[in-house]
Amino acid sequence: MSSGAPGAPNGTPDRHQVVVAIDVGGSRMKCALVHRDGTVARIEHHPTQTARGPAAVVDTILDIAEALADTARHEGLAPVAFGLAVPGVIDEAAGVAIWSSNLGFREVPLRTLATARLGMPAVLGHDVRVGGVAEARLGAGRADRHVLFVAIGTGIAAAHVVDGTAAAGAHGAAGELGHVLVRPGGPRCGCGRAGCLEAIASAAAVARRYAELTDSTPGLSAAEVVAHATAGDPLAQQVWTEAVEALADGLAIGQTLFDVETVVLGGGLARAGAQLLDPLRAALHDRMTFHREPRLVPAALGAEAGCLGAALLALDSLEKR
Amino acid sequence: MSSGAPGAPNGTPDRHQVVVAIDVGGSRMKCALVHRDGTVARIEHHPTQTARGPAAVVDTILDIAEALADTARHEGLAPVAFGLAVPGVIDEAAGVAIWSSNLGFREVPLRTLATARLGMPAVLGHDVRVGGVAEARLGAGRADRHVLFVAIGTGIAAAHVVDGTAAAGAHGAAGELGHVLVRPGGPRCGCGRAGCLEAIASAAAVARRYAELTDSTPGLSAAEVVAHATAGDPLAQQVWTEAVEALADGLAIGQTLFDVETVVLGGGLARAGAQLLDPLRAALHDRMTFHREPRLVPAALGAEAGCLGAALLALDSLEKR
């Protein structure tokens, strides 16, 4: 290889350098090699298999990262950093996964483990925050400086992104929009409180509520409830209207505190498209008084947002060197 | 005068330089001369007299600022910048008071007006945000990087301050904690919606609710309601408990989204001291599940916080030159 640009690690030219990125979800890991200019060299998906326990999941993450780095080298590329995104409460500064209920992680020093195993700089991020960073910089919010990314899936979480950086909070727990109170005395949430947004408007809550009302087991998925509502099923319409109204209350609270230009909706339930966006936009509009109404748009990067965001985090760490 | 440090305006030594600072409230203007090291050289209070209309208020602001600058010069000091804080929706980047209901301001280009009149750099800030910056840097939050300052008076507003800088939002409207929904279908708020925190827990709301329950006109002030509650008046206790519970819901929402280390309570109602802090701390504690519980402390700088914050804004603008 020729000598690289001044300051390039290993003397490799920038255009041959890639970062390894992995976004660990409850069921799948989205993995990639990403060039320094943000273009994707390779995408892979692997099962997470959380039932094996947290230690096995950590091993798999490191095995995949090492294999991806080897693949890069075989293709004449130089892996120079590793970006890892996981769900839960993440201390990004310390590189520690404090608490991740899906994966069973408790105080796992992932950055240190990854740096030791891979022999390259590693950074740890929060899955929704890095997804928000990717949507804000490269996706549906790329025209704006102030973006709220909201992921609506099994749970609900948000990332407040200003000038391409997501707020992590003092303890890595900022942006937990799923746990703002919207229905005092309402349904019990997984977190222990009653009336959290997530207990009414997440995909899990929509499915559960429809099953309750129809006394059906196992009942429909949230996507099926939306389809039934569109087809005229009055109970499905009731459940979906309750979810949309609660979401509008949650987004209005977000806008009241953050004052963003654009709200980007991602996650599985956002794939309901116009069935979600049209009534939600109307309900949010009704709630705006002194506020500037934000644009409400669907995510643009799909399931790869978290993986791209993990890569951006790794690329940012290189810029800072 | 001797020649100053390199880059000092007008060749004045830094220790002789002061900034002029004014915090415009609905009834009073808090005004100061502040040295570059943050020490206060002079404090003055002047009536705002909003009934005279917005143009007269602007004239008074500029008159006072000019007189303070002259006073500084007579004392051998060099006024080098002007920091102005006003309530409402403030576009800090443009230096324009977009909308300030107390003062009747609509799209007033205060920074341009002040710079033209005073012949020195001027900066415009939002009263609660600069108050939050002062409390976070110099007051009750000075030990922490992530602070939420909440001003509870006639209205309720907040400033989210990270590393000494308050988030303004995309349109200068961030931090409107008084307008988060806490009681769906609850009392009508001044903003037009029902159930906003401010409609239940502001000083105005506490006084109004007690007057309703006791059918009394004009009734007690919020401070008197708190005193009656402490003395055992069951209706006053009911009103105060409702306010504290609503405040706890609002602060819990703030913590869920911001994840701060410390919440600083300021504004008139915060002078209730332990009558507010003790039950509010307990109610907030009850609402924390996965959250890290923030410290809840009273403001340390009193009524001068906004004026000090305006001075900090002006000092920051000098650093950036």
Side-chain angles (χ1 to χ4, degrees):
Chain A
M1 283 179 201
S2 64
S3 73
N10 313 320
T12 314
D14 274 10
R15 67 194 161 80
H16 286 165
Q17 294 179 5
V18 288
V19 294
V20 176
I22 301 184
D23 172 28
V24 184
S27 57
R28 285 185 312 162
M29 300 188 196
K30 280 77 77 181
C31 314
L33 293 173
V34 178
H35 288 288
R36 287 193 77 140
D37 65 3
T39 55
V40 175
R42 184 187 185 85
I43 292 264
E44 297 178 0
H45 287 192
H46 296 270
T48 307
Q49 298 175 303
T50 54
R52 299 172 302 147
V57 172
V58 170
D59 281 345
T60 302
I61 292 169
L62 299 178
D63 288 347
I64 294 171
E66 195 160 47
L68 269 168
D70 284 342
T71 300
R73 288 184 198 103
H74 286 139
E75 295 178 359
L77 301 170
V80 291
F82 174 43
L84 174 62
V86 302
V89 176
I90 307 302
D91 184 338
E92 290 163 355
V96 175
I98 303 291
W99 182 85
S100 175
S101 79
N102 278 354
L103 307 176
F105 289 173
R106 298 283 181 281
E107 304 280 349
V108 181
L110 283 164
R111 189 178 61 198
T112 304
L113 293 171
T115 303
R117 173 76 171 272
L118 302 174
M120 66 176 85
V123 286
L124 179 67
H126 176 269
D127 61 344
V128 175
R129 285 200 285 275
V130 300
V133 165
E135 286 290 347
R137 290 200 207 168
L138 308 174
R142 68 186 174 279
D144 296 310
R145 291 185 51 209
H146 297 257
V147 174
L148 186 67
F149 174 66
V150 181
I152 314 172
T154 310
I156 296 177
H160 179 218
V161 184
V162 177
D163 292 334
T165 300
H171 318 94
E176 291 286 358
L177 188 69
H179 299 283
V180 299
L181 176 73
V182 295
R183 295 290 177 270
R188 182 69 49 184
C189 180
C191 82
R193 288 192 72 198
C196 291
L197 175 58
E198 184 166 303
I200 296 139
S202 66
V206 165
R208 187 175 57 239
R209 178 76 173 134
Y210 186 79
E212 278 170 19
L213 288 178
T214 56
D215 206 13
S216 57
T217 316
L220 306 179
S221 72
E224 289 165 337
V225 173
V226 176
H228 279 233
T230 307
D233 172 349
L235 287 178
Q237 285 173 343
Q238 177 191 332
V239 171
W240 189 232
T241 299
E242 287 170 2
V244 167
E245 295 285 317
L247 273 174
D249 283 331
L251 293 185
I253 286 171
Q255 184 63 2
T256 302
L257 294 180
F258 295 131
D259 180 27
V260 296
E261 289 151 306
T262 297
V263 174
V264 178
L265 292 187
L269 203 55
R271 284 199 283 275
Q275 265 81 47
L276 172 64
L277 280 167
D278 290 351
L280 183 56
R281 219 175 255 134
L284 181 60
H285 178 79
D286 289 346
R287 285 157 173 78
M288 300 286 96
T289 59
F290 64 90
H291 324 68
R292 298 284 186 96
E293 189 172 337
R295 289 195 310 138
L296 186 63
V297 296
L301 303 175
E304 312 303 338
C307 185
L308 283 170
L312 290 173
L313 211 63
L315 290 167
D316 286 353
S317 76
L318 294 175
E319 297 298 321
K320 284 180 194 147
R321 278 162 186 274
Chain B
M1 286 179 200
S2 64
S3 72
N10 313 322
T12 315
D14 275 9
R15 67 194 162 80
H16 287 163
Q17 294 179 6
V18 288
V19 294
V20 178
I22 300 184
D23 172 27
V24 185
S27 56
R28 286 185 312 160
M29 300 189 196
K30 281 77 78 182
C31 314
L33 293 173
V34 178
H35 288 288
R36 286 195 76 140
D37 65 2
T39 56
V40 175
R42 184 186 185 86
I43 292 264
E44 297 178 359
H45 286 190
H46 297 271
T48 307
Q49 298 175 304
T50 55
R52 301 172 302 145
V57 173
V58 171
D59 281 346
T60 303
I61 292 169
L62 299 179
D63 288 347
I64 293 171
E66 197 160 45
L68 269 169
D70 284 343
T71 301
R73 288 186 198 101
H74 287 139
E75 294 177 2
L77 300 171
V80 290
F82 174 43
L84 175 61
V86 300
V89 177
I90 307 302
D91 183 338
E92 290 162 356
V96 175
I98 303 291
W99 182 85
S100 175
S101 78
N102 279 353
L103 307 176
F105 290 173
R106 297 285 180 281
E107 304 280 350
V108 182
L110 284 164
R111 187 177 64 200
T112 304
L113 292 170
T115 303
R117 172 77 170 271
L118 302 174
M120 68 176 84
V123 285
L124 178 67
H126 176 269
D127 62 343
V128 175
R129 284 199 285 273
V130 299
V133 165
E135 286 290 346
R137 290 200 208 168
L138 307 174
R142 67 188 175 281
D144 296 310
R145 291 184 52 208
H146 296 258
V147 174
L148 186 68
F149 173 67
V150 181
I152 313 173
T154 311
I156 296 177
H160 178 219
V161 185
V162 178
D163 292 334
T165 299
H171 318 95
E176 292 285 358
L177 189 70
H179 300 284
V180 299
L181 176 73
V182 294
R183 294 293 176 267
R188 181 69 48 184
C189 179
C191 81
R193 287 191 73 197
C196 291
L197 175 58
E198 184 167 301
I200 296 140
S202 67
V206 166
R208 186 174 59 239
R209 178 74 173 134
Y210 186 79
E212 279 171 16
L213 287 178
T214 55
D215 206 13
S216 57
T217 315
L220 305 180
S221 70
E224 290 164 339
V225 173
V226 175
H228 278 233
T230 307
D233 171 349
L235 285 177
Q237 285 173 341
Q238 177 190 332
V239 171
W240 189 231
T241 299
E242 287 171 1
V244 167
E245 295 284 319
L247 273 173
D249 284 331
L251 294 185
I253 286 172
Q255 184 64 2
T256 302
L257 294 181
F258 295 131
D259 180 28
V260 297
E261 288 151 308
T262 297
V263 174
V264 178
L265 291 186
L269 203 54
R271 283 198 285 274
Q275 267 80 48
L276 173 63
L277 280 167
D278 290 351
L280 183 56
R281 220 175 255 133
L284 181 60
H285 178 80
D286 289 345
R287 286 158 172 78
M288 300 285 95
T289 57
F290 63 91
H291 323 69
R292 297 285 186 96
E293 189 172 337
R295 288 196 309 138
L296 187 62
V297 296
L301 304 175
E304 312 303 336
C307 185
L308 282 172
L312 290 174
L313 211 61
L315 290 167
D316 286 352
S317 77
L318 294 174
E319 297 298 320
K320 285 181 192 145
R321 280 164 184 277

